[in-house]
Amino acid sequence: MAYRIERLDKIIESKDIDAFLFTSTISVKYLCGYFYNFEIGPSPFHFIPAALFVVPSKITSLVIADNETDQLAGLDARILMKQYASYTYDKPLDFLSQFLIRIHELIKDSGMCKSRIGIEANSLPHSLAESLLSAYPKIKFIDISHDLALLRMIKDSEELTLIGAATHLCDIGQEAVLKYGKPGMTELELFTLVRGDMDAAAGKRVPMMADMVCGVRTFEGGGNPSDKKIISGDLILSDLTPCLNGYWGDTCNTVVTGKPTHYQIEHFNLIKEVLDSGVNAVKPGIRASAVDQLMRKHLSSAGGYKHHSGHGVGLAYHEEPRIVPYNDTELVPNMVIALEPAIYQNGYGIRLEHLVVVTREGCKILSEFNHRFEKE
Amino acid sequence: MAYRIERLDKIIESKDIDAFLFTSTISVKYLCGYFYNFEIGPSPFHFIPAALFVVPSKITSLVIADNETDQLAGLDARILMKQYASYTYDKPLDFLSQFLIRIHELIKDSGMCKSRIGIEANSLPHSLAESLLSAYPKIKFIDISHDLALLRMIKDSEELTLIGAATHLCDIGQEAVLKYGKPGMTELELFTLVRGDMDAAAGKRVPMMADMVCGVRTFEGGGNPSDKKIISGDLILSDLTPCLNGYWGDTCNTVVTGKPTHYQIEHFNLIKEVLDSGVNAVKPGIRASAVDQLMRKHLSSAGGYKHHSGHGVGLAYHEEPRIVPYNDTELVPNMVIALEPAIYQNGYGIRLEHLVVVTREGCKILSEFNHRFEKE
C-alpha cells in the first residue's frame, strides 16, 4: 500500500509537530493498513488493538496486540512492528502494562521525551496520556484529529479500489432486495438473505450498517430490520453500508412490493431526477453547500428532507466533505461522496443514494446498480 | 431494572470516592440499562454514546447523545437524563463541546470541583480528562475499573434472565448447525443460515462473535467463517457468542459430517466427560483454579488445550472469574461461567462448552442444548 506517512508533512509544519501517536483504529488503518474489526466490540484482551508512533523521516512503529498480527504480512518494510502481550491464560492478563512498556520504549529510544506529539484527543485513553505525561512532563500533546480528517478527504488510488470493492457489495445487496423482497416475509428475513449474498460475495463476514424497513417505517427514513412483516403494496427502503477491509460502501434504493400508486411512481421519479441533478453538478470547484442547495431546493415544495444531502465516505461511513448547507468546502478530484436525496410524505419515504468519486471533469458513479422501483 | 448504583458503596468506602464518572459502554449499561450497539463501530456523531455521573445518594445523571434516546423510556426515575446534541446537518457538528458542557454543568452544580472522582482510566478519553482537570485542577481521578469488574462477577436475577435469553439464542444456533450443516456448503453459508435462525428468534439483528470452522481449521481452535467448503467427514466447530440487549451467551459444540472415525467418537466422548466433570465440580467455595486443574488434568495425556478452561460471561463475553490456572477466586452463587474443555489432535479439534450459573448447592446449566456429535 501507499506509504501515507509522508502525507503528514503539512500537519507537521502547520502544528509544529515532532512526533505522532495515533490511537484511533481509522488512523492506524489509514497510515499502515492494519484494520481492527469492530463488529464484536472491544476485545477483553486489548488495551487498544494498535497504536502507531511516528517520528517523521526517522521511525514508524506499530504497537499491536500479539493476537492481532494476522494481517501484517504485507506491512511496509519501513514500519517497525512491536507486539505487546494480550491474551494469556497461564498468568494474569497484563496488557495495559505491556502496551505502556512498548510505548515508553519508543518515546525514550527516539529521544522524544520533551517533544510536541500529535495525538487524537478523543481516542487517546486517559491512562495512556497520564502515563506518558507523568514519565515525561515536558511532552506537549497537540490534537491533530481534524487535520487528519481533512487529509483523508482526498483518496488515493488504492483507497478508491477498496471503496469500489465495498460498493460492489452494495450492488449485490440492492439486486438481492429486488430479487428476494416480497410480501409475507419480515424485514429481518429479507435482510438475512441480502446480507447472505453480500457476505458470500466477500467470502467472509462483513460488518454492515443497514436501514432495511418497510411500510410506514420508510416514512421515518430508516432503522434496523425488525420482525415487521412486509405486506403487499409496501415500500422497502434499503440503505446498505458494508465495511469491507476497513473501507465503507454506501448506496440506498427504495422498491415497491405489489402495484405502486401514481404518487409513488411520481415521487420515485422525482427523487431519481434530483439525484441525477446532484451527480451532474458534482465537479472540481463546486462547493459542497452548492450541491446540497441544488438538490434540496428541488424538494422544498415537497417538504424536503431533514438530513444531509450527502457526505464523504471512506474509512468512516460519514466523513468530510459533508454535503450540507453550511459547508463551503470546494470539491476536488478523488473525494468520494454519497448523495442521498429523499422524500418523506403520504406515510412513506423514498430515498435514493449513489456513491461517486470526483474526477477532473465531473464525477464517476462507483456503483453499477441502477435504481429501480419495481422488479423487471 | 435493579438500581445498581447502591452497589457502589464498597468502592466508595475502599477507595474514598466522592463521585463517579463512568464512560465505558459496559458500566453505563450495568448501572442504568442503556446499551450502545457496537456492531457498526463508533458513531461519527458521538463523542462517546453516553456517560454516567454519580454523586452517591445525591445525583445519578446520564449524559447521552440526543440520537440515542430510544431505549430510555424505562429509565429509573431516580436517573436524570441530560442529552447532548449529536447529529446536525444545518450547522457544524459540535458534539464534543456539547458533551463537555453537560459534564461541566454536572460537576459544578453538584459541587464536586475538588472531589475524588472514580473513573475508568482506559475508557476515559484524554480530551474529557484534560478538559475537567484544566477547569477543576483539584479534582483527583481514581481508577475503579478493576473494582467494577469484580462487582459485576455476581449477577442479579435480571442479569440471569438476560444471560438466559442470550443463551437461548445459542441453543437455537447449535440446533441450526446440526440441521443445516452438510458437505458442499461453505462455512459462511452455514453461518448465514445459523445466524438467520438466531436473529429471527431475537426479532432483530444480534451482534455475534462466532467460531464456525470445518476440517483442519477446527485443529486451530476456531476463527471466523470463511468460504472454505465443508467436505464429507469434516468436523464443524461452532462456538456461538451472541450479544442480546447487552448480555452475552456462549456455547460451543462440535459436529461431524458423514461418518465419524473411531478416534473422533472417543475424543468427543472424552471431552463431554471432562465438561461434565467440570460442571459437577462447580459449587460455592471451590476455587476457579481447582475447576481449571480438574478439567485440564484429564486431558494432559492427550496434549491438553492451550487456552483457559472457562471464564465469566455477562456484559463482556470474557470476564471475571476466569477459570485459569492462576486464579484462586472462590466461586460464589450467581456467578455465570462458561466451561470449554477441548482436544486438538490428529488434525482436528473438538471443543464443547456449557454456560452455567453457580447456585447454592452446585450449579445450573443455562443452556437447554445437549451436545451431540451427529444428527439423530
Side-chain angles (χ1 to χ4, degrees):
Chain A
M1 60 171 274
Y3 192 64
R4 302 196 179 113
I5 303 292
E6 289 156 359
R7 296 184 200 159
L8 300 171
D9 285 356
K10 266 194 194 166
I11 305 177
I12 294 167
E13 205 173 308
S14 67
K15 297 245 161 139
D16 191 17
I17 300 291
D18 301 311
F20 294 92
L21 179 59
F22 299 102
T23 49
S24 78
T25 51
I26 283 181
S27 296
V28 170
K29 169 71 188 172
Y30 182 68
L31 293 164
C32 84
Y34 165 72
F35 169 56
Y36 176 73
N37 187 331
F38 45 77
E39 204 177 3
I40 55 164
S43 166
F45 311 118
H46 291 167
F47 171 57
I48 53 178
L52 198 69
F53 180 71
V54 177
V55 183
S57 29
K58 287 189 183 149
I59 296 163
T60 302
S61 187
L62 177 66
V63 180
I64 188 165
D66 62 3
N67 64 353
E68 282 290 320
T69 56
D70 288 2
Q71 298 169 46
L72 299 178
L75 199 68
D76 190 288
R78 285 163 284 191
I79 299 173
L80 181 74
M81 187 168 76
K82 289 218 172 209
Q83 295 183 31
Y84 74 93
S86 52
Y87 174 81
T88 51
Y89 71 95
D90 50 351
K91 55 186 179 186
L93 296 171
D94 188 35
F95 49 78
L96 174 58
S97 309
Q98 295 299 315
F99 178 90
L100 291 177
I101 288 167
R102 296 284 167 281
I103 297 285
H104 279 261
E105 279 168 5
L106 284 168
I107 302 271
K108 202 177 156 202
D109 294 353
S110 63
M112 289 290 122
C113 312
K114 301 173 180 178
S115 62
R116 289 171 61 85
I117 300 186
I119 52 128
E120 301 170 283
N122 296 356
S123 72
L124 179 69
H126 173 62
S127 47
L128 173 52
E130 195 194 30
S131 164
L132 290 178
L133 290 175
S134 57
Y136 308 112
K138 294 199 169 163
I139 278 179
K140 290 266 177 262
F141 288 141
I142 320 293
D143 188 16
I144 49 91
S145 311
H146 187 62
D147 309 77
L148 265 176
L150 296 183
L151 191 65
R152 287 198 292 107
M153 281 201 298
I154 300 167
K155 273 65 181 176
D156 64 33
S157 62
E158 283 167 286
E159 292 187 285
L160 293 176
T161 303
L162 289 162
I163 296 166
T167 309
H168 181 61
L169 294 185
C170 297
D171 289 351
I172 287 166
Q174 299 297 0
E175 291 293 349
V177 173
L178 279 158
K179 180 173 157 194
Y180 300 122
K182 59 168 192 255
M185 73 199 314
T186 67
E187 295 166 349
L188 197 56
E189 283 165 351
L190 176 58
F191 175 72
T192 293
L193 294 169
V194 169
R195 179 161 63 175
D197 278 11
M198 294 170 75
D199 281 356
K204 61 181 176 186
R205 288 179 65 171
V206 176
M208 180 148 69
M209 177 164 72
D211 292 315
M212 171 102 34
V213 295
C214 70
V216 71
R217 291 191 74 201
T218 62
F219 182 66
E220 290 152 28
N224 281 316
S226 74
D227 52 7
K228 179 174 161 61
K229 271 207 176 157
I230 300 164
I231 59 174
S232 186
D234 268 358
L235 303 196
I236 305 171
L237 185 154
S238 57
D239 196 332
L240 303 177
T241 314
C243 180
L244 181 61
N245 300 319
Y247 283 85
W248 297 82
D250 189 5
T251 72
C252 186
N253 191 30
T254 308
V255 303
V256 65
T257 60
K259 208 176 145 50
T261 67
H262 171 72
Y263 281 118
Q264 287 172 344
I265 294 173
E266 251 186 18
H267 281 152
F268 182 89
N269 290 336
L270 172 62
I271 300 301
K272 204 156 187 285
E273 269 169 43
V274 174
L275 177 58
D276 287 345
S277 73
V279 170
N280 290 331
V282 169
K283 62 179 178 188
I286 195 169
R287 293 180 192 275
S289 51
V291 179
D292 176 84
Q293 171 60 12
L294 179 142
M295 293 168 70
R296 200 178 291 281
K297 78 173 182 199
H298 273 287
L299 292 165
S300 55
S301 64
Y305 44 89
K306 291 184 176 54
H307 54 66
H308 51 264
S309 292
H311 52 84
V313 172
L315 287 164
Y317 56 77
H318 186 118
E319 60 181 36
E320 294 299 341
R322 301 184 77 205
I323 311 299
V324 285
Y326 67 79
N327 187 9
D328 287 335
T329 302
E330 285 185 14
L331 303 189
V332 300
N334 289 359
M335 286 178 168
V336 171
I337 294 160
L339 298 176
E340 47 181 331
I343 194 163
Y344 306 106
Q345 274 205 344
N346 303 341
Y348 58 78
I350 294 176
R351 186 165 73 245
L352 303 179
E353 180 179 32
H354 258 325
L355 198 55
V356 306
V357 53
V358 183
T359 60
R360 282 203 283 179
E361 293 79 29
C363 75
K364 182 176 165 280
I365 297 173
L366 288 171
S367 170
E368 288 175 16
F369 174 79
N370 292 312
H371 295 100
R372 305 197 293 289
F373 197 39
E374 299 178 75
K375 297 192 190 210
E376 266 130 27
Chain B
M1 60 169 275
Y3 192 64
R4 301 196 180 113
I5 304 291
E6 289 157 359
R7 295 183 201 159
L8 299 171
D9 286 355
K10 266 193 192 165
I11 304 178
I12 294 167
E13 204 173 311
S14 67
K15 297 244 159 138
D16 191 18
I17 300 292
D18 301 311
F20 294 92
L21 179 59
F22 298 102
T23 49
S24 77
T25 51
I26 283 181
S27 295
V28 170
K29 169 73 189 170
Y30 182 68
L31 293 165
C32 84
Y34 165 72
F35 168 55
Y36 176 73
N37 186 332
F38 45 77
E39 205 177 3
I40 56 163
S43 166
F45 311 117
H46 293 167
F47 172 56
I48 53 178
L52 198 70
F53 180 70
V54 178
V55 183
S57 30
K58 287 188 184 151
I59 297 164
T60 302
S61 187
L62 177 65
V63 180
I64 188 166
D66 63 4
N67 64 353
E68 282 291 319
T69 56
D70 289 0
Q71 299 168 46
L72 299 178
L75 199 69
D76 190 288
R78 286 163 284 190
I79 299 173
L80 181 73
M81 187 168 76
K82 290 218 171 210
Q83 296 184 31
Y84 74 94
S86 51
Y87 175 82
T88 51
Y89 72 94
D90 50 351
K91 54 186 179 183
L93 296 171
D94 188 37
F95 49 79
L96 174 58
S97 309
Q98 294 299 315
F99 178 91
L100 291 178
I101 287 168
R102 296 284 166 282
I103 297 285
H104 279 260
E105 278 168 6
L106 285 167
I107 301 270
K108 203 179 156 199
D109 295 352
S110 63
M112 288 291 125
C113 312
K114 300 173 180 179
S115 63
R116 289 171 60 85
I117 300 186
I119 52 127
E120 301 170 284
N122 296 354
S123 72
L124 179 69
H126 173 62
S127 47
L128 173 52
E130 196 195 30
S131 163
L132 291 179
L133 290 176
S134 55
Y136 309 111
K138 293 198 168 164
I139 278 179
K140 291 266 177 260
F141 287 141
I142 319 293
D143 189 17
I144 50 90
S145 312
H146 187 62
D147 308 77
L148 265 176
L150 297 183
L151 190 66
R152 287 196 294 107
M153 279 200 299
I154 299 167
K155 273 67 183 177
D156 64 32
S157 62
E158 283 167 283
E159 294 188 283
L160 293 177
T161 302
L162 288 162
I163 297 168
T167 309
H168 180 61
L169 295 186
C170 298
D171 289 353
I172 287 166
Q174 299 298 359
E175 291 293 351
V177 174
L178 279 158
K179 179 173 158 198
Y180 300 122
K182 60 168 191 253
M185 72 200 314
T186 66
E187 294 165 352
L188 198 56
E189 284 165 351
L190 176 58
F191 175 73
T192 293
L193 294 168
V194 169
R195 179 162 62 174
D197 279 12
M198 294 170 75
D199 281 356
K204 62 181 176 185
R205 287 180 65 173
V206 176
M208 178 150 67
M209 178 164 70
D211 293 314
M212 171 106 27
V213 294
C214 70
V216 71
R217 291 190 74 200
T218 62
F219 182 67
E220 289 151 29
N224 281 316
S226 74
D227 53 7
K228 180 175 159 64
K229 271 207 173 157
I230 300 164
I231 59 175
S232 184
D234 268 358
L235 303 195
I236 305 170
L237 185 153
S238 57
D239 196 332
L240 303 177
T241 314
C243 180
L244 181 62
N245 300 321
Y247 282 85
W248 297 81
D250 189 6
T251 72
C252 186
N253 191 29
T254 308
V255 303
V256 66
T257 60
K259 208 177 145 50
T261 66
H262 171 73
Y263 282 118
Q264 287 172 343
I265 294 172
E266 252 186 16
H267 282 152
F268 181 90
N269 291 335
L270 172 63
I271 299 302
K272 205 154 187 285
E273 270 170 42
V274 174
L275 176 58
D276 287 346
S277 73
V279 170
N280 290 331
V282 169
K283 62 179 180 189
I286 194 170
R287 292 180 191 276
S289 52
V291 178
D292 176 84
Q293 171 60 11
L294 179 142
M295 293 169 70
R296 201 177 289 281
K297 79 174 181 200
H298 273 287
L299 292 165
S300 55
S301 63
Y305 45 88
K306 291 185 176 55
H307 54 66
H308 50 264
S309 293
H311 52 83
V313 172
L315 286 164
Y317 57 78
H318 186 118
E319 60 180 37
E320 296 296 341
R322 302 184 77 203
I323 312 299
V324 285
Y326 67 78
N327 187 9
D328 288 335
T329 301
E330 285 185 13
L331 303 188
V332 300
N334 289 359
M335 286 178 170
V336 171
I337 294 159
L339 298 176
E340 48 182 328
I343 193 165
Y344 306 106
Q345 273 204 347
N346 303 341
Y348 59 78
I350 294 175
R351 185 165 73 244
L352 302 178
E353 180 179 32
H354 259 325
L355 198 56
V356 306
V357 52
V358 182
T359 61
R360 281 203 285 182
E361 294 80 29
C363 75
K364 181 175 166 281
I365 297 172
L366 289 170
S367 170
E368 287 176 17
F369 173 80
N370 292 312
H371 294 101
R372 306 196 295 287
F373 198 38
E374 297 178 76
K375 296 192 192 211
E376 266 132 24

